[in-house]
Amino acid sequence: MSTTTTTTSSTAAKPASSSLAASAKFKTFAIVFSITAPILYVVCELFSLPLFTYHPATNRFDFGWAPGRSGEGPAMYWYGWTATMLIGCTVIGWLATLLPERAIRAIPLALIWLLPILAMVPLAWALKPFWEKGGWL
Amino acid sequence: MSVNTFWTILLIIHGLLAVALLGALTHQAMAVLMPVRQAAGNFVDRFRAVPAAGYATAVCVLWVLTFIMGAWIYVKFRIYIRIPIEQAGFWKTQGFFELKEHAVTIGMGVLPAYWYFWKNARDPQYDSVRKWLTVLLAVIIWFGFIVGHVINNVRGYGS
């Protein structure tokens, strides 16, 4: 008789009890949102599609992409990319909940962790000027 | 309270939230990469033996809070930190900071699936995706933490 104590406590969880975790629609939303996020973010960054541009020195917002103005400091696009990504993923995730569940089952789940890794390639490439210009510290 | 003190406090809160997130995700990543088979013995075994599923909601909340704090102080960073870094010619250092902000934003984008898979941890069809998603988030947070720490050393508190 084996006396080995086996524990699966490292990953064990109660069966999904909250309505959200047990909901098929939330599952669809979560999967599609998470697959869409890296794609949308890369598209926003590479094609300059921020929802808005923020000018921190003057505390001014412009809708969409706007260049930094002379004498008014730099323009920031990251907030706008993030907003575009979050809104876009929410809309696409919600639309996906209207599809039949078998369509969602056809999506390979590995895309959820593979796409963020692949997304870093074009994002790092877009930072080429930083890598080429020079110094570390 | 001086303006400098105010922003320094925000930066410290951002750092403390990041440390908590780092700890939670490292525990979880260890638990999925090297699940314990026997009752915990040494320190490493105990480190891996945490009830990992219980960390999921906390990780999501901490990620979003850390992100919000980082986004808040980013306003000052853009003017008072990044410009001097560029003037000093530390372009690669700044490049890694840009990469960090991309990585943590994408990390936030996969949190809904991460939460769902951990809340359904008894479902074996999600074992692989849950494992690699957790490891990915742990790598991102370690990368972000180290880059943020270096940036702070280059030009941080009180500079």
Side-chain angles (χ1 to χ4, degrees), chain B:
Chain B
M1 184 192 299
S2 74
V3 173
N4 245 4
T5 307
F6 175 76
W7 289 101
T8 300
I9 289 170
L10 292 189
L11 179 60
I12 291 171
I13 293 170
H14 175 59
L16 290 174
L17 288 168
V19 168
L21 183 55
L22 194 72
L25 267 168
T26 306
H27 268 297
Q28 240 189 358
M30 289 282 281
V32 293
L33 283 175
M34 296 186 287
V36 287
R37 299 272 173 244
Q38 288 192 313
N42 61 29
F43 172 77
V44 176
D45 288 342
R46 287 171 194 276
F47 194 90
R48 292 154 44 196
V50 295
Y55 284 58
T57 302
V59 164
C60 292
V61 170
L62 281 169
W63 195 291
V64 172
L65 287 177
T66 310
F67 188 90
I68 289 170
M69 292 303 297
W72 191 359
I73 57 179
Y74 192 31
V75 174
K76 292 294 168 192
F77 172 89
R78 183 63 185 86
I79 294 172
Y80 297 106
I81 309 292
R82 177 169 163 173
I83 290 174
I85 284 175
E86 290 179 354
Q87 285 169 343
F90 301 148
W91 292 99
K92 287 193 176 79
T93 308
Q94 180 56 37
F96 271 97
F97 183 83
E98 300 287 312
L99 210 53
K100 159 194 142 102
E101 80 188 15
H102 293 330
V104 297
T105 309
I106 288 174
M108 191 170 69
V110 299
L111 287 180
Y114 161 86
W115 184 85
Y116 179 82
F117 294 141
W118 272 111
K119 286 296 161 188
N120 290 275
R122 288 256 169 108
D123 193 333
Q125 68 170 316
Y126 303 138
D127 283 355
S128 173
V129 66
R130 184 177 54 250
K131 173 179 170 180
W132 294 116
L133 197 50
T134 304
V135 171
L136 174 76
L137 289 175
V139 170
I140 290 175
I141 196 65
W142 269 101
F143 174 69
F145 185 80
I146 291 168
V147 171
H149 191 68
V150 170
I151 286 280
N152 182 62
N153 288 352
V154 173
R155 191 177 167 87
Y157 300 125
S159 55

